[in-house]
mmCIF file of all heavy atoms in Angstrom:
data_model
loop_
_atom_site.group_PDB
_atom_site.id
_atom_site.type_symbol
_atom_site.label_atom_id
_atom_site.label_comp_id
_atom_site.label_asym_id
_atom_site.label_seq_id
_atom_site.Cartn_x
_atom_site.Cartn_y
_atom_site.Cartn_z
ATOM 1 N N ILE A 1 4.686 8.981 -2.389
ATOM 2 C CA ILE A 1 5.986 9.226 -3.015
ATOM 3 C C ILE A 1 6.462 10.646 -2.710
ATOM 4 O O ILE A 1 7.649 10.953 -2.783
ATOM 5 C CB ILE A 1 5.924 8.972 -4.536
ATOM 6 C CG1 ILE A 1 7.332 8.851 -5.128
ATOM 7 C CG2 ILE A 1 5.091 10.033 -5.230
ATOM 8 C CD1 ILE A 1 7.369 8.401 -6.572
ATOM 9 N N LYS A 2 5.544 11.510 -2.328
ATOM 10 C CA LYS A 2 5.909 12.891 -1.984
ATOM 11 C C LYS A 2 6.806 12.965 -0.749
ATOM 12 O O LYS A 2 7.430 13.991 -0.489
ATOM 13 C CB LYS A 2 4.651 13.729 -1.750
ATOM 14 C CG LYS A 2 3.821 13.293 -0.556
ATOM 15 C CD LYS A 2 2.531 14.096 -0.458
ATOM 16 C CE LYS A 2 1.659 13.609 0.694
ATOM 17 N NZ LYS A 2 0.364 14.330 0.749
ATOM 18 N N LYS A 3 6.889 11.858 0.002
ATOM 19 C CA LYS A 3 7.748 11.824 1.190
ATOM 20 C C LYS A 3 9.231 11.696 0.829
ATOM 21 O O LYS A 3 10.088 11.924 1.686
ATOM 22 C CB LYS A 3 7.347 10.662 2.098
ATOM 23 C CG LYS A 3 5.942 10.782 2.680
ATOM 24 C CD LYS A 3 5.603 9.572 3.521
ATOM 25 C CE LYS A 3 4.205 9.665 4.100
ATOM 26 N NZ LYS A 3 3.849 8.441 4.880
ATOM 27 N N LEU A 4 9.527 11.320 -0.416
ATOM 28 C CA LEU A 4 10.923 11.155 -0.844
ATOM 29 C C LEU A 4 11.497 12.526 -1.200
ATOM 30 O O LEU A 4 11.714 12.858 -2.366
ATOM 31 C CB LEU A 4 11.010 10.197 -2.022
ATOM 32 C CG LEU A 4 10.486 8.780 -1.782
ATOM 33 C CD1 LEU A 4 10.592 7.952 -3.055
ATOM 34 C CD2 LEU A 4 11.250 8.108 -0.649
ATOM 35 N N ARG A 5 11.757 13.329 -0.212
ATOM 36 C CA ARG A 5 12.109 14.739 -0.389
ATOM 37 C C ARG A 5 13.445 14.954 -1.080
ATOM 38 O O ARG A 5 13.731 16.051 -1.553
ATOM 39 C CB ARG A 5 12.125 15.437 0.977
ATOM 40 C CG ARG A 5 10.759 15.521 1.654
ATOM 41 C CD ARG A 5 9.847 16.445 0.889
ATOM 42 N NE ARG A 5 8.576 16.640 1.580
ATOM 43 C CZ ARG A 5 7.604 17.413 1.124
ATOM 44 N NH1 ARG A 5 7.768 18.045 -0.026
ATOM 45 N NH2 ARG A 5 6.486 17.553 1.785
ATOM 46 N N GLN A 6 14.296 13.924 -1.138
ATOM 47 C CA GLN A 6 15.608 14.052 -1.781
ATOM 48 C C GLN A 6 15.617 13.523 -3.218
ATOM 49 O O GLN A 6 16.645 13.574 -3.889
ATOM 50 C CB GLN A 6 16.674 13.299 -0.961
ATOM 51 C CG GLN A 6 16.759 13.698 0.504
ATOM 52 C CD GLN A 6 17.172 15.142 0.675
ATOM 53 O OE1 GLN A 6 18.025 15.646 -0.058
ATOM 54 N NE2 GLN A 6 16.575 15.820 1.641
ATOM 55 N N LEU A 7 14.484 13.009 -3.692
ATOM 56 C CA LEU A 7 14.448 12.332 -4.982
ATOM 57 C C LEU A 7 14.679 13.312 -6.131
ATOM 58 O O LEU A 7 13.935 14.281 -6.299
ATOM 59 C CB LEU A 7 13.105 11.615 -5.171
ATOM 60 C CG LEU A 7 13.047 10.589 -6.303
ATOM 61 C CD1 LEU A 7 13.984 9.428 -6.027
ATOM 62 C CD2 LEU A 7 11.622 10.088 -6.499
ATOM 63 N N GLU A 8 15.705 13.045 -6.927
ATOM 64 C CA GLU A 8 16.055 13.897 -8.064
ATOM 65 C C GLU A 8 15.921 13.185 -9.400
ATOM 66 O O GLU A 8 15.696 13.827 -10.417
ATOM 67 C CB GLU A 8 17.495 14.407 -7.910
ATOM 68 C CG GLU A 8 17.698 15.311 -6.697
ATOM 69 C CD GLU A 8 19.115 15.837 -6.605
ATOM 70 O OE1 GLU A 8 19.994 15.320 -7.341
ATOM 71 O OE2 GLU A 8 19.355 16.757 -5.809
ATOM 72 N N ILE A 9 16.058 11.855 -9.401
ATOM 73 C CA ILE A 9 15.996 11.076 -10.636
ATOM 74 C C ILE A 9 14.932 9.988 -10.473
ATOM 75 O O ILE A 9 14.992 9.193 -9.534
ATOM 76 C CB ILE A 9 17.362 10.435 -10.961
ATOM 77 C CG1 ILE A 9 18.431 11.516 -11.157
ATOM 78 C CG2 ILE A 9 17.265 9.549 -12.189
ATOM 79 C CD1 ILE A 9 19.835 10.972 -11.317
ATOM 80 N N LEU A 10 13.965 9.977 -11.384
ATOM 81 C CA LEU A 10 12.891 8.989 -11.336
ATOM 82 C C LEU A 10 12.654 8.447 -12.732
ATOM 83 O O LEU A 10 12.353 9.194 -13.666
ATOM 84 C CB LEU A 10 11.605 9.622 -10.791
ATOM 85 C CG LEU A 10 10.370 8.713 -10.755
ATOM 86 C CD1 LEU A 10 10.597 7.515 -9.829
ATOM 87 C CD2 LEU A 10 9.132 9.495 -10.313
ATOM 88 N N ASN A 11 12.786 7.128 -12.876
ATOM 89 C CA ASN A 11 12.532 6.455 -14.145
ATOM 90 C C ASN A 11 11.364 5.495 -13.961
ATOM 91 O O ASN A 11 11.485 4.495 -13.247
ATOM 92 C CB ASN A 11 13.782 5.705 -14.614
ATOM 93 C CG ASN A 11 13.614 5.129 -16.020
ATOM 94 O OD1 ASN A 11 12.529 5.170 -16.603
ATOM 95 N ND2 ASN A 11 14.684 4.577 -16.556
ATOM 96 N N ILE A 12 10.234 5.822 -14.582
ATOM 97 C CA ILE A 12 9.039 4.977 -14.468
ATOM 98 C C ILE A 12 8.545 4.541 -15.851
ATOM 99 O O ILE A 12 7.394 4.119 -15.996
ATOM 100 C CB ILE A 12 7.906 5.697 -13.704
ATOM 101 C CG1 ILE A 12 7.608 7.055 -14.337
ATOM 102 C CG2 ILE A 12 8.262 5.862 -12.238
ATOM 103 C CD1 ILE A 12 6.458 7.803 -13.684
ATOM 104 N N GLU A 13 9.400 4.630 -16.854
ATOM 105 C CA GLU A 13 8.965 4.280 -18.208
ATOM 106 C C GLU A 13 8.664 2.780 -18.315
ATOM 107 O O GLU A 13 9.135 1.969 -17.519
ATOM 108 C CB GLU A 13 10.024 4.683 -19.235
ATOM 109 C CG GLU A 13 11.302 3.888 -19.192
ATOM 110 C CD GLU A 13 12.225 4.230 -20.353
ATOM 111 O OE1 GLU A 13 11.717 4.478 -21.462
ATOM 112 O OE2 GLU A 13 13.447 4.241 -20.153
ATOM 113 N N GLY A 14 7.840 2.446 -19.313
ATOM 114 C CA GLY A 14 7.538 1.046 -19.577
ATOM 115 C C GLY A 14 6.642 0.393 -18.547
ATOM 116 O O GLY A 14 6.670 -0.827 -18.399
ATOM 117 N N ASN A 15 5.826 1.179 -17.843
ATOM 118 C CA ASN A 15 4.857 0.625 -16.893
ATOM 119 C C ASN A 15 3.439 0.843 -17.417
ATOM 120 O O ASN A 15 3.233 1.299 -18.535
ATOM 121 C CB ASN A 15 5.057 1.253 -15.513
ATOM 122 C CG ASN A 15 6.195 0.599 -14.744
ATOM 123 O OD1 ASN A 15 6.082 -0.512 -14.251
ATOM 124 N ND2 ASN A 15 7.319 1.303 -14.662
ATOM 125 N N GLN A 16 2.447 0.524 -16.601
ATOM 126 C CA GLN A 16 1.042 0.618 -17.015
ATOM 127 C C GLN A 16 0.394 1.924 -16.553
ATOM 128 O O GLN A 16 -0.825 2.016 -16.468
ATOM 129 C CB GLN A 16 0.260 -0.568 -16.424
ATOM 130 C CG GLN A 16 0.857 -1.928 -16.701
ATOM 131 C CD GLN A 16 0.851 -2.277 -18.174
ATOM 132 O OE1 GLN A 16 -0.133 -2.035 -18.867
ATOM 133 N NE2 GLN A 16 1.934 -2.826 -18.666
ATOM 134 N N LEU A 17 1.187 2.924 -16.242
ATOM 135 C CA LEU A 17 0.670 4.176 -15.697
ATOM 136 C C LEU A 17 -0.018 5.008 -16.768
ATOM 137 O O LEU A 17 0.521 5.208 -17.847
ATOM 138 C CB LEU A 17 1.810 4.987 -15.081
ATOM 139 C CG LEU A 17 2.508 4.345 -13.877
ATOM 140 C CD1 LEU A 17 3.823 5.055 -13.602
ATOM 141 C CD2 LEU A 17 1.609 4.390 -12.659
ATOM 142 N N SER A 18 -1.210 5.532 -16.450
ATOM 143 C CA SER A 18 -1.893 6.443 -17.368
ATOM 144 C C SER A 18 -1.898 7.875 -16.834
ATOM 145 O O SER A 18 -2.293 8.800 -17.543
ATOM 146 C CB SER A 18 -3.321 5.970 -17.627
ATOM 147 O OG SER A 18 -4.011 5.786 -16.410
ATOM 148 N N ALA A 19 -1.475 8.068 -15.582
ATOM 149 C CA ALA A 19 -1.314 9.397 -14.987
ATOM 150 C C ALA A 19 -0.324 9.274 -13.841
ATOM 151 O O ALA A 19 -0.017 8.170 -13.376
ATOM 152 C CB ALA A 19 -2.653 9.951 -14.495
ATOM 153 N N LEU A 20 0.180 10.400 -13.391
ATOM 154 C CA LEU A 20 1.194 10.422 -12.344
ATOM 155 C C LEU A 20 0.582 10.862 -11.020
ATOM 156 O O LEU A 20 -0.387 11.627 -10.998
ATOM 157 C CB LEU A 20 2.313 11.393 -12.736
ATOM 158 C CG LEU A 20 2.993 11.129 -14.079
ATOM 159 C CD1 LEU A 20 3.953 12.259 -14.420
ATOM 160 C CD2 LEU A 20 3.711 9.799 -14.055
ATOM 161 N N PRO A 21 1.153 10.409 -9.903
ATOM 162 C CA PRO A 21 0.635 10.856 -8.604
ATOM 163 C C PRO A 21 0.938 12.334 -8.383
ATOM 164 O O PRO A 21 2.021 12.816 -8.723
ATOM 165 C CB PRO A 21 1.387 9.973 -7.603
ATOM 166 C CG PRO A 21 2.628 9.559 -8.299
ATOM 167 C CD PRO A 21 2.271 9.463 -9.750
ATOM 168 N N SER A 22 -0.005 13.046 -7.825
ATOM 169 C CA SER A 22 0.164 14.488 -7.630
ATOM 170 C C SER A 22 1.315 14.799 -6.685
ATOM 171 O O SER A 22 1.867 15.906 -6.720
ATOM 172 C CB SER A 22 -1.131 15.102 -7.087
ATOM 173 O OG SER A 22 -1.505 14.490 -5.848
ATOM 174 N N GLY A 23 1.717 13.841 -5.853
ATOM 175 C CA GLY A 23 2.821 14.057 -4.929
ATOM 176 C C GLY A 23 4.137 14.376 -5.620
ATOM 177 O O GLY A 23 5.026 14.988 -5.020
ATOM 178 N N LEU A 24 4.255 13.986 -6.903
ATOM 179 C CA LEU A 24 5.486 14.292 -7.640
ATOM 180 C C LEU A 24 5.701 15.793 -7.777
ATOM 181 O O LEU A 24 6.826 16.263 -7.910
ATOM 182 C CB LEU A 24 5.442 13.670 -9.042
ATOM 183 C CG LEU A 24 5.608 12.167 -9.166
ATOM 184 C CD1 LEU A 24 5.677 11.775 -10.638
ATOM 185 C CD2 LEU A 24 6.860 11.677 -8.455
#
């Protein structure tokens, strides 16, 4: 996901994630 160099808005709520990728 770190390749998305233009990403400004990210909505990941309501998923099964317990941690975020360091690429953020």
Side-chain angles (χ1 to χ4, degrees):
I1 195 171
K2 65 185 177 183
K3 296 178 180 177
L4 300 178
R5 294 292 185 180
Q6 306 297 321
L7 195 65
E8 296 182 348
I9 299 173
L10 177 62
N11 187 353
I12 54 177
E13 69 173 324
N15 279 286
Q16 308 295 317
L17 296 165
S18 54
L20 304 173
S22 58
L24 287 186

